[in-house]
Amino acid sequence: MPELVRYEVKDRVAVITIDNPPVNALSPAVWTGIDEAVARANADPAADAIVIIGAGTTFIAGADIKVFDLFKTPHDSMARSETTHALLRRLEDSTKPLVAAIHGNALGGGMEVAMSCHFRVAARDAKIGQPEVLLGIIPGAGGTQRLPRLAGVEAALKMCTDGKAVPAAAAKGGAIDEIVDGDLLTGAIAFAARKAAARETRKTRDIALSGDQITRGLAACAAARDALAKTARGQRAPFAAIDAIEAGLQLGFDRGSVRERELFAECVVSTESKALRHLFFAEREVAKIPDVPKDTPTLEIRRAAVVGAGTMGGGIAMNYANAGIPVLLKEIDQAALDRGLATIRRNYEVSMSKGKLTPEQLEKTLALITPTTSYDGFDRVDIVTEAVFENMDLKKQTFAELGRVTRPDCILASNSSTLDIDEFGRASGRPAQVLGHHYFSPANVMKLLEIVRGRETGKDVLATSLKLAKRLGKVGVVVGNCFGFVANRMLAYYMREAYLLLEEGASVPQIDNALTAFGLPVGPFGMQDIAGIDVGARIRQYLKSIGKSRAEGPQSEVPDRLYEMGRYGQKTGAGWYKYDAPGSRNRTPDPLIDTLAQEAAAKRGITRRPITDDEIIARITTALANEGARVLDEGFALRAGDIDVVYVYGFGFPRHRGGPMFYADTVGLPTVLARVKEYRARFGDYWQPAPLLERLVAEGRGFYTGAAAAV
Ligand code: T1G
């Protein structure tokens, strides 16, 4: 059994090293090890002071998140928290100076251990933070009580409600006492020895807050609550963090700590926290491809190229330039190229106006994008992303050309959102180098990258794509090659239900508002007006031409009528909504849509009726889960978690609901299946339960749980 907590004495300073790779998480054994080691140091005549440090690349990155699944009731959590709080008080009561030496990250429980030490020194590039709200919990080891005393109430509120890590150097003079340049352990031992010589210790819990600090702190709590009311709708944890900090200000450290434990216990057993913890691990699982070993060799990406400078092509080129990778941007003619470049410059100017970019940085980044109307230089790039019109013949022609003008080991990726990647592989003559890199609009903003695996795509090409996704700041998810892959294949069912609910009696604003209240950033109709109604219409036309449709069941005529009217959405000033002007985001509902819906309903012999928001959510989430079960069963997604990550990053499915598959588990698969059957009886046989859904219910299981009972 490797020693998780090591003890040695150096220059009369006891050095306690936490060694629990990969991130020194606080498992129960680590907690106990720290407790025993500090007690040992206090009793050790050879030591005048104590340093706690992490082995490897980081200090302690928090409690072991997996442990929280053991808490079935708030009581389970309370018992554990009382033990932890008592342990941290013992650290604080150390009679010898106790110093935390921080490198890498001190996060969550790691930061709370550090704050229970008397002093904290850190490497200049270290980070500290309380990211618990990102897991649907709050700091549960005294962080909401000690951080305000060290960093001030305002800073503590920000760190505990947005969960973002802050540079240790920026916290100097507050939570951090000294920045160490050079060897951290040497610097920490010297610092500790100085404190020992001065017989200096300091209990964070005894740092008193003045009346004025408390008054200003309470006002800051109220202001933080108001601000969060807009940004954290439907979530509990950020507000619970404020409640705990406020309790500390009003009741003092000890009773504030009790309130913290109660609030933590409430949060840790919540569905919100289970959903966010699920996503924490699901986001890390997506990078693991069973048949692509971790040590699969990857290709170095030094230069790139993009074919097509439209909305998507331009955004993709920006991703490469933002990552410092020189990129050729090709268009068929100068006019199209100039339009594409103008959009790119406008996007960067918007970032500059928001202070995200300096003029120098703008010009430096733009200089990495080389516009061209020829394939000159394509023989020197490591990857090409094709982003031309979503048309099979045009794309096959492009891949044939790319197969001729690029190096044999060059990766050829397509940004197609629906079409057969293997066709492009065949057209290029080297299918092993071909795969899909499906970005989401706007490509320079949305974090999801669907990496579509073709029948012959090489493992090195897949491994390279996953690594590249991280480098471009994207979350890469490997999916199979079926029509619409994972994201758009399931989206077709989401949109089918939205259109049918409209025909049956709901309105565009009602449906969109129901989904935004559920937690999505935008509803189906607002989303289509942003992406363009024409994009969907052209895909439907292509499918019609090959005798297919995107989703079984009735195809509403309303979106095609809008297309025929030239109402493509924001870009034309009208779509599902009316806009102040083409390109404007200011929208108003348009009664014309209700007329079109009534006409479509009449043609299909439907009697329109009042529809509740609950039915809207139930129909849409059931359609997503049912089709998701098919995608999983057919092997086009490796794990249910991959589907959740696709929807959270591709469409903004609310994180605190865990994604469509996790959400289905919270509803309970027996209920989801019953709904599919109810809808089949009410609306038609196009509602067919996915075989996997039926199997899981029959076996009493969920997508994630052993038991099918609601999570
Ligand atoms: N618990 C368990 N496993 C963890 C973990 C943790 N806290 N942190 C990371 N891992 C695993 C992760 O799943 C992955 O596993 C591997 O470590 C490497 O992680 C009491 C209640 C530190 C910034 O929220 O943000 O303390 O996939 O791929 O990109 O009040 O990990 O290899 O099998 O992310 O270098 C609060 C969570 C906990 C920080 C490093 N702490 N971790 O990023 O590596 S709650 C957090 C991170 C708490 C207290 C409360 C990041 C990182 P595998 P990785 P990375």
Side-chain angles (χ1 to χ4, degrees):
M1 171 72 178
E3 222 185 340
L4 298 173
V5 178
R6 292 198 298 274
Y7 182 92
E8 60 186 322
V9 177
K10 283 188 173 188
D11 307 332
R12 299 199 54 75
V13 172
V15 177
I16 298 172
T17 305
I18 317 298
D19 192 357
N20 183 23
V23 295
N24 295 328
L26 291 159
S27 63
V30 172
W31 278 118
T32 310
I34 294 172
D35 194 14
E36 290 169 356
V38 171
R40 176 178 172 186
N42 276 296
D44 187 342
D48 302 329
I50 312 162
V51 166
I52 297 181
I53 192 165
T57 60
T58 187
F59 188 68
I60 301 166
D64 185 337
I65 300 167
K66 295 192 186 77
V67 168
F68 301 142
D69 293 343
L70 304 174
F71 300 157
K72 298 304 176 204
T73 66
H75 181 267
D76 299 344
S77 165
M78 286 295 279
R80 170 69 61 108
S81 293
E82 274 148 27
T83 310
T84 306
H85 279 231
L87 186 159
L88 292 170
R89 286 178 85 97
R90 285 195 292 277
L91 264 60
E92 218 166 26
D93 292 339
S94 166
T95 53
K96 297 176 181 176
L98 178 57
V99 178
I102 299 170
H103 71 303
N105 293 289
L107 302 175
M111 184 59 188
E112 291 164 305
V113 166
M115 292 192 291
S116 304
C117 296
H118 302 143
F119 308 103
R120 286 145 297 281
V121 302
R124 189 164 294 285
D125 60 356
K127 290 216 168 108
I128 60 173
Q130 303 280 182
E132 285 88 346
V133 286
L134 307 178
L135 299 167
I137 50 180
I138 66 170
T144 64
Q145 307 304 307
R146 290 191 172 89
L147 190 58
R149 284 169 167 74
L150 289 172
V153 178
E154 287 78 0
L157 278 168
K158 183 170 184 334
M159 287 169 75
C160 292
T161 56
D162 70 16
K164 294 192 182 119
V166 299
K172 169 100 174 37
I176 300 294
D177 297 288
E178 185 167 292
I179 294 295
V180 175
D181 292 313
D183 181 65
L184 176 66
L185 184 55
T186 309
I189 288 173
F191 180 95
R194 286 201 300 277
K195 294 300 178 187
R199 297 186 181 289
E200 210 183 322
T201 60
R202 183 183 63 177
K203 297 180 184 179
T204 306
R205 71 172 185 266
D206 292 344
I207 297 172
L209 293 170
S210 68
D212 179 46
Q213 283 176 310
I214 291 173
T215 309
R216 276 189 292 110
L218 291 171
C221 287
R225 240 183 231 111
D226 293 347
L228 278 176
K230 302 186 195 79
T231 58
R233 243 170 334 119
Q235 298 170 50
R236 172 69 185 121
F239 296 95
I242 299 173
D243 296 348
I245 291 173
E246 188 178 59
L249 297 173
Q250 290 165 332
L251 308 170
F253 183 91
D254 294 346
R255 290 171 54 204
S257 296
V258 173
R259 189 74 192 110
E260 177 194 280
R261 294 199 290 270
E262 291 165 352
L263 289 159
F264 178 87
E266 173 202 323
C267 289
V268 78
V269 296
S270 69
T271 301
E272 172 185 329
S273 180
K274 290 171 184 168
L276 290 165
R277 292 184 337 240
H278 149 67
L279 281 174
F280 177 86
F281 291 112
E283 282 161 12
R284 283 153 182 80
E285 281 301 294
V286 291
K288 300 170 187 165
I289 314 303
D291 67 334
V292 179
K294 226 177 173 174
D295 59 0
T296 300
T298 57
L299 305 155
E300 201 188 344
I301 305 296
R302 292 155 302 200
R303 277 182 294 275
V306 176
V307 180
T311 312
M312 293 305 287
I316 296 166
M318 290 175 72
N319 289 323
Y320 281 98
N322 296 347
I325 301 171
V327 56
L328 297 171
L329 181 58
K330 178 181 182 301
E331 254 300 353
I332 43 177
D333 60 42
Q334 197 56 44
L337 200 50
D338 294 344
R339 279 195 303 275
L341 289 170
T343 305
I344 292 174
R345 176 172 282 279
R346 246 195 333 273
N347 287 340
Y348 280 127
E349 281 164 354
V350 170
S351 303
M352 197 168 67
S353 67
K354 293 179 183 160
K356 292 184 185 157
L357 211 60
T358 65
E360 297 70 36
Q361 288 168 328
L362 184 151
E363 294 308 333
K364 194 159 165 266
T365 310
L366 261 181
L368 287 168
I369 301 175
T370 305
T372 175
T373 55
S374 79
Y375 281 121
D376 293 354
F378 272 61
D379 58 340
R380 290 196 303 281
V381 302
D382 306 302
I383 183 168
V384 181
T385 305
E386 161 278 313
V388 302
F389 233 46
E390 190 74 352
N391 172 285
M392 181 55 93
D393 296 337
L394 177 60
K395 288 187 185 281
K396 282 166 68 174
Q397 180 202 329
T398 306
F399 271 83
E401 290 162 2
L402 290 173
R404 285 193 298 274
V405 299
T406 57
R407 287 195 330 261
D409 66 340
C410 176
I411 293 177
L412 304 178
S414 171
N415 180 54
S416 172
S417 58
T418 56
L419 300 174
D420 183 350
I421 299 297
D422 291 330
E423 292 268 358
F424 308 150
R426 280 190 285 277
S428 74
R430 41 195 165 93
Q433 298 306 111
V434 171
L435 77 175
H437 278 187
H438 176 214
Y439 293 82
F440 288 72
S441 181
N444 58 307
V445 176
M446 297 300 284
K447 282 185 67 79
L448 179 66
L449 178 62
E450 255 189 334
I451 298 171
V452 187
R453 182 176 191 167
R455 204 189 309 281
E456 297 177 56
T457 302
K459 293 180 180 176
D460 56 341
V461 171
L462 281 173
T464 304
S465 295
L466 284 163
K467 193 171 165 194
L468 177 65
K470 249 190 170 166
R471 192 169 163 203
L472 299 180
K474 305 294 181 190
V475 176
V477 181
V478 174
V479 299
N481 179 29
C482 57
F483 191 86
F485 318 130
V486 169
N488 282 336
R489 172 173 164 176
M490 290 170 61
L491 187 71
Y493 293 80
Y494 171 108
M495 293 311 295
R496 177 195 71 193
E497 287 311 299
Y499 297 148
L500 296 180
L501 285 157
L502 176 66
E503 287 190 10
E504 292 163 30
S507 71
V508 161
Q510 182 197 2
I511 295 168
D512 275 359
N513 294 342
L515 270 297
T516 51
F518 181 75
L520 276 101
V522 62
F525 299 108
M527 174 177 68
Q528 231 184 29
D529 273 358
I530 295 167
I533 290 172
D534 53 324
V535 178
R538 273 196 291 276
I539 293 172
R540 278 192 300 278
Q541 282 173 346
Y542 166 71
L543 284 171
K544 235 185 229 154
S545 73
I546 60 172
K548 283 197 179 159
S549 70
R550 297 192 69 181
E552 300 82 24
Q555 304 299 309
S556 171
E557 67 172 22
V558 179
D560 288 331
R561 294 196 59 190
L562 293 177
Y563 176 62
E564 286 144 20
M565 295 174 188
R567 295 173 62 116
Y568 298 169
Q570 278 182 5
K571 57 186 169 189
T572 57
W576 292 102
Y577 294 90
K578 272 191 299 199
Y579 295 85
D580 295 357
S584 156
R585 294 181 185 177
N586 298 338
R587 67 185 195 188
T588 45
D590 188 337
L592 168 77
I593 305 297
D594 299 318
T595 310
L596 295 177
Q598 284 156 14
E599 290 169 4
K603 274 194 200 146
R604 286 208 301 124
I606 291 176
T607 310
R608 305 188 84 221
R609 58 187 172 87
I611 292 180
T612 64
D613 290 0
D614 288 350
E615 179 178 352
I616 292 169
I617 297 299
R619 293 255 299 264
I620 285 179
T621 54
T622 301
L624 279 175
N626 194 45
E627 189 58 20
R630 279 208 188 91
V631 165
L632 202 51
D633 210 10
E634 295 164 18
F636 293 112
L638 288 167
R639 294 155 286 241
D642 292 20
I643 297 176
D644 284 335
V645 170
V646 162
Y647 264 73
V648 164
Y649 282 100
F651 302 103
F653 195 97
R655 294 185 64 84
H656 65 273
R657 297 188 189 277
M661 308 307 277
F662 187 89
Y663 177 72
D665 265 11
T666 63
V667 170
L669 294 195
T671 303
V672 173
L673 179 58
R675 284 178 178 163
V676 174
K677 291 180 175 168
E678 176 207 333
Y679 299 152
R680 186 171 65 191
R682 287 174 58 192
F683 305 116
D685 280 349
Y686 61 88
W687 273 101
Q688 286 294 333
L692 175 62
L693 181 59
E694 292 186 300
R695 282 203 309 277
L696 288 172
V697 171
E699 295 160 14
R701 292 171 48 218
F703 290 124
Y704 296 103
T705 57
V711 172

